[in-house]
Amino acid sequence: MSQRFTIASLAHPIALALDEVWQPQEGFHGIEHLDHAATLTHADGRQIHLSERWDDPGYLHARGAFPVSDYPFRRGDRDSIRIAMDEGPEAIARAISDDLIPNHREVHARVTKHNQEVAQIRRDVEELARDFAARLPGARTRIDGSSAYVALRLETGDVGIVIDSHAVSVMLNDAPKAIADAAVFAVSRFLPHVQTSDDERGQPVQCIDY
């Protein structure tokens, strides 16, 4: 009688047969060990999930895993491969090496770079919002990821500063020209590439890329 392969029994020999160093990890649901799932983890953080689907018994499905991201995945970025488990670990490893790892490595690098850039933008936005708030005593600050809003209510009008990624807008409501000029000057002193236009009510609107 032929041997009944499981994902759990195949994970370690598959990892050994791959060209690079991959660590196999058993699949768990809570504390329950899963025979039908496992993960291979590379030293650089990449992961490959192995599974046998309930509706496709006898076949191993391998797919690359990605960190949580708002990266705009395209068709083919998250493809998986399917191979009969009785092909054995060496054949499965060759299929993973040839048909999955190259594309996954490239896309994983793009996702990682995207996440790093987004994280930097969020740090910049938070720092800039707090910097604005420190210059405007009594201002209220709301930070939401890569966007922030700094609002200052005055007896003579309202000042709002909207930070959206690398763009900053200064909005004024019923503020006299002196307040408008002061707000624009305060912002433009430490932000380059300033361009100013007027809204439909004649109030200055500051649009800045930093």
Side-chain angles (χ1 to χ4, degrees):
M1 186 175 181
S2 62
Q3 178 185 359
R4 169 70 172 96
F5 288 105
T6 66
I7 299 297
S9 68
L10 286 170
H12 188 260
I14 290 173
L16 291 177
L18 290 171
D19 293 336
E20 298 178 297
V21 178
W22 293 81
Q23 295 295 329
Q25 297 169 300
E26 296 180 343
F28 286 91
H29 179 70
I31 61 173
E32 180 184 356
H33 171 76
L34 301 177
D35 283 336
H36 64 272
T39 300
L40 305 179
T41 302
H42 192 274
D44 64 8
R46 283 178 290 142
Q47 288 188 323
I48 295 174
H49 290 170
L50 310 177
S51 64
E52 180 187 17
R53 289 171 25 177
W54 65 270
D55 59 346
D56 195 19
Y59 285 87
L60 178 146
H61 292 255
R63 62 180 178 84
F66 297 97
V68 176
S69 178
D70 62 354
Y71 175 82
F73 288 99
R74 301 183 295 244
R75 182 185 297 275
D77 283 349
R78 293 185 284 192
D79 282 351
S80 62
I81 65 169
R82 172 182 179 269
I83 185 170
M85 293 164 63
D86 59 11
E87 292 286 336
E90 291 188 359
I92 294 172
R94 282 196 301 272
I96 291 174
S97 294
D98 294 343
D99 302 330
L100 182 66
I101 287 179
N103 184 62
H104 178 247
R105 182 193 297 116
E106 179 182 337
V107 178
H108 192 279
R110 295 203 304 263
V111 173
T112 300
K113 181 180 179 182
H114 173 82
N115 284 358
Q116 291 170 344
E117 292 173 348
V118 169
Q120 184 60 53
I121 288 173
R122 289 179 175 177
R123 288 191 293 268
D124 291 345
V125 165
E126 181 175 351
E127 180 181 355
L128 191 59
R130 299 195 189 287
D131 199 359
F132 279 136
R135 286 169 162 77
L136 300 170
R140 294 177 290 107
T141 304
R142 184 178 72 248
I143 300 173
D144 182 15
S146 59
S147 300
Y149 181 66
V150 180
L152 180 65
R153 174 158 292 182
L154 306 170
E155 290 185 5
T156 52
D158 298 330
V159 177
I161 302 174
V162 178
I163 308 168
D164 186 7
S165 187
H166 283 115
V168 177
S169 299
V170 179
M171 300 182 300
L172 303 120
N173 182 32
D174 296 330
K177 188 176 186 304
I179 295 294
D181 290 343
V184 169
F185 178 74
V187 172
S188 63
R189 283 197 63 182
F190 60 98
L191 290 178
H193 312 305
V194 175
Q195 295 180 344
T196 303
S197 60
D198 289 343
D199 67 9
E200 63 276 8
R201 292 172 302 177
Q203 292 281 20
V205 178
Q206 191 78 349
C207 299
I208 307 164
D209 291 328
Y210 70 93

